[in-house]
Amino acid sequence: MSTEEEKIRQLKEERDAVILAHYYVPDEVQAVADYIGDSYGLAKIATTLPQKTICFAGVTFMSESAKILNPDKTVLVPEPMADCPMAHMVEPEDIEAVRGQYEDLAVVCYINSTAEIKKYCDVIVTSSNALKIVSKLPQKNIYFIPDENLGRYIASQLPEKHFIFNEGFCHVHTSITKENVERAKAAHPGLKVLAHPECKADVLAQADYIGSTSGIIKYATESEDQAFLICTELGVLYDLRRKNPGKQFYSVGHRQFCPNMKRITLNKIIKSLETMAPAMEIDAASREKAAAPLKKMLALAE
Ligand code: 13P
Ligand code: SF4
């Protein structure tokens, strides 16, 4: 065990803390986490933990969601600058404008959004539960925010619904091009393409499997194939290789790297546990409003 790992182990005990990490944070951070997971898995597990403190190794919308769902816990944010740009790609006024146009409307919001935006939405979804949740909604019209690519993918699976999209995107996933995939397939003939639904439609059209980070890991782990082409952020390689030591995984693009997730370091985790700061704070009124669509997600995803 390294000095940092030993220090973190001690601090977790002293602070009654648990570390949650997303699959995109650096390998050494995933290695010290008590739980690693996709956005839905982490939001859900956070509601079941006995510890008083959650140290969240992920981008801001993840620690915000953990605080909204667990207001009595201290949620530490090891690096407050680790923010997802997509979370800011829609405004409350956009929602107000679309609500004014449709009576029978559900505002469906990807969890990659700010707490402020969540206040105005009907239900939150993640890439692993969006299809299930939207298909259960009684409304015909779905305003899907902020990610247009995930929205269009869900719309393609639910032709009975009418979707209105927002022009949000993930710069990491949209950096993967159709040509990248074509070249990777030519270089590694016969390999299956596993893609995250934040990728563009022309990339998804070439995928053999489309799913969340945990979906991709599960698919590759359960498959008898021995090698795969991976269309998501490359932090997933840590768990893919751990679970599948004999299998090969190839990236397809040149920028499958989320700079914000990579801002989380072991030293920042140590510092946050030592000082118990910074901690996520959200005023009670905002928290209550944002909790309603998050709780609806947890109920509908069951
Ligand atoms: P999931 O881990 O839920 O698939 O989300 C990917 C992502 O981009 C998180 O920011
Ligand atoms: Fe946001 Fe994309 Fe990074 Fe996920 S990978 S946190 S969607 S920028």
Side-chain angles (χ1 to χ4, degrees):
M1 202 181 265
S2 71
T3 331
E4 283 104 338
E5 284 172 342
E6 178 52 29
K7 181 99 192 137
I8 289 172
R9 196 193 56 74
Q10 265 176 25
L11 283 164
K12 276 198 308 188
E13 225 170 85
E14 281 167 35
R15 306 296 195 209
D16 189 24
V18 58
I19 300 178
L20 304 189
H22 187 265
Y23 290 121
Y24 295 164
V25 299
D27 292 3
E28 62 277 16
V29 175
Q30 294 192 54
V32 298
D34 297 284
Y35 300 93
I36 53 176
D38 68 4
S39 318
Y40 173 58
L42 294 174
K44 191 174 154 183
I45 198 96
T47 64
T48 66
L49 300 169
Q51 290 86 352
K52 287 199 300 262
T53 301
I54 296 173
C55 177
F56 214 121
V59 285
T60 314
F61 73 80
M62 297 181 170
S63 36
E64 272 182 350
S65 298
K67 182 67 184 178
I68 292 165
L69 288 169
N70 306 280
D72 298 334
K73 291 197 195 280
T74 301
V75 177
L76 296 174
V77 186
E79 172 49 80
M81 297 293 281
D83 198 6
C84 169
M86 190 213 282
H88 302 271
M89 292 184 185
V90 65
E91 300 291 339
E93 299 76 53
D94 300 325
I95 300 176
E96 207 180 313
V98 176
R99 283 211 193 271
Q101 288 168 39
Y102 297 88
E103 256 179 45
D104 176 35
L105 180 81
V107 178
V108 175
C109 182
Y110 193 24
I111 198 164
N112 299 37
S113 50
T114 60
E116 177 61 19
I117 276 295
K118 287 184 174 78
K119 283 168 31 181
Y120 302 94
C121 301
D122 296 310
V123 65
I124 304 302
V125 296
T126 75
S127 53
S128 67
N129 60 32
L131 188 55
K132 188 176 192 178
I133 291 178
V134 179
S135 69
K136 285 182 182 173
L137 297 176
Q139 294 89 345
K140 175 159 173 73
N141 299 300
I142 306 294
Y143 182 32
F144 197 99
I145 56 173
D147 187 17
E148 179 170 3
N149 291 302
L150 175 63
R152 287 195 182 275
Y153 170 64
I154 300 301
S156 73
Q157 307 295 302
L158 296 173
E160 67 278 18
K161 301 275 187 195
H162 171 252
F163 278 71
I164 304 107
F165 301 107
N166 169 73
E167 289 177 358
F169 63 93
C170 162
H171 68 99
V172 180
H173 288 87
T174 55
S175 74
I176 302 170
T177 64
K178 161 176 163 277
E179 290 75 22
N180 289 152
V181 184
E182 285 164 359
R183 268 197 292 273
K185 280 175 128 175
H188 305 282
L191 297 201
K192 291 208 170 84
V193 176
L194 315 186
H196 194 280
E198 287 176 15
C199 292
K200 290 181 284 193
D202 55 5
V203 167
L204 296 181
Q206 301 188 71
D208 298 281
Y209 173 80
I210 299 169
S212 73
T213 48
S214 58
I216 288 173
I217 293 166
K218 185 168 186 286
Y219 183 93
T221 305
E222 289 174 359
S223 169
E224 291 191 349
D225 290 14
Q226 293 301 307
F228 302 87
L229 300 175
I230 301 295
C231 297
T232 189
E233 211 274 353
L234 294 179
V236 294
L237 295 180
Y238 172 77
D239 203 46
L240 278 170
R241 289 181 175 141
R242 203 168 62 121
K243 291 187 168 132
N244 304 279
K247 296 186 184 178
Q248 298 299 314
F249 301 98
Y250 300 98
S251 60
V252 301
H254 307 290
R255 288 189 285 136
Q256 292 174 236
F257 176 88
C258 177
N260 283 294
M261 290 282 194
K262 303 304 188 221
R263 285 175 187 251
I264 318 288
T265 63
L266 289 182
N267 280 334
K268 288 175 186 171
I269 289 185
I270 292 173
K271 198 161 174 225
S272 72
L273 286 167
E274 274 173 347
T275 59
M276 291 298 275
M280 179 57 68
E281 295 298 344
I282 304 172
D283 70 87
S286 297
R287 204 182 60 222
E288 270 165 39
K289 281 193 192 148
L294 270 167
K295 286 182 181 165
K296 192 161 178 187
M297 169 185 82
L298 294 177
L300 290 177
E302 279 309 312

